[in-house]
Amino acid sequence: MTADAPRSFYDEVGGHETFTRLVDAFYRGVADDPVLRPMYPEADLGPAADRLRMFLEQYWGGPAAYSQRRGHPRLRMRHAPFHIDPAARDRWLAHMRAAVDELELAPLHDATLWDYLQRAAHAMVNTFEPAGIGPAAAGRESAPLTVVARPADPAA
């Protein structure tokens, strides 16, 4: 990067360390979520966490490791096998909101990241049939997830 080149969002928010913290916090919530956890067939969530971290880092201007290892992201295609309804989307967003909050980013960075995550989550919805998420969704009850509203930013 030259002195005249603008910094990427990735660099502005703290790079690899920040995205690692985000993804680790997110998967702490997913690990015990009875609706989202079945989306991850691996016993260890580590590989899924690595994929999400690499994807987000690349998207926000960091290393291109995701594409080098997995090719084009094709998010809709990669999520197509899973039953992602609005309730599952909302659970995903609740865990991600908690993870973003842990970062304590500057308000503009927080809003920028959150806007993208919301749009991405809405784009992944592929059914309106209420059955949860993941290949084993049939017959599984949906467990409640409490979502706590964030206080309004007094500076806004």
Side-chain angles (χ1 to χ4, degrees):
M1 175 169 54
T2 66
D4 297 320
R7 291 181 57 186
S8 67
F9 183 88
Y10 173 83
D11 292 324
E12 288 180 7
V13 299
H16 178 77
E17 179 185 330
T18 297
F19 285 95
T20 296
R21 288 176 43 223
L22 173 69
V23 170
D24 287 351
F26 171 72
Y27 278 106
R28 277 195 310 273
V30 169
D32 296 322
D33 190 296
V35 174
L36 297 182
R37 183 60 178 94
M39 185 177 187
Y40 306 93
E42 299 156 313
D44 175 15
L45 288 171
D50 289 342
R51 291 187 298 268
L52 178 58
R53 180 190 42 75
M54 286 188 303
F55 169 76
L56 291 172
E57 286 179 333
Q58 178 175 306
Y59 181 86
W60 292 105
Y66 184 92
S67 289
Q68 291 166 355
R69 293 184 190 167
R70 297 183 50 87
H72 190 281
R74 301 183 309 252
L75 292 180
R76 294 263 313 161
M77 183 199 77
R78 292 186 194 276
H79 290 83
F82 302 99
H83 185 107
I84 305 174
D85 64 9
R89 174 206 58 215
D90 293 346
R91 295 175 78 86
W92 190 93
L93 283 168
H95 292 299
M96 191 55 82
R97 181 69 257 173
V100 171
D101 287 346
E102 281 191 30
L103 298 177
E104 298 180 333
L105 297 173
L108 180 58
H109 290 133
D110 183 291
T112 301
L113 178 59
W114 185 240
D115 177 66
Y116 168 76
L117 293 168
Q118 286 183 300
R119 287 183 289 114
H122 284 267
M124 293 305 107
V125 171
N126 58 21
T127 185
F128 289 91
E129 295 296 321
I133 191 166
R140 182 175 53 243
E141 291 185 30
S142 196
L145 177 67
T146 304
V147 178
V148 179
R150 291 181 40 186
D153 182 358

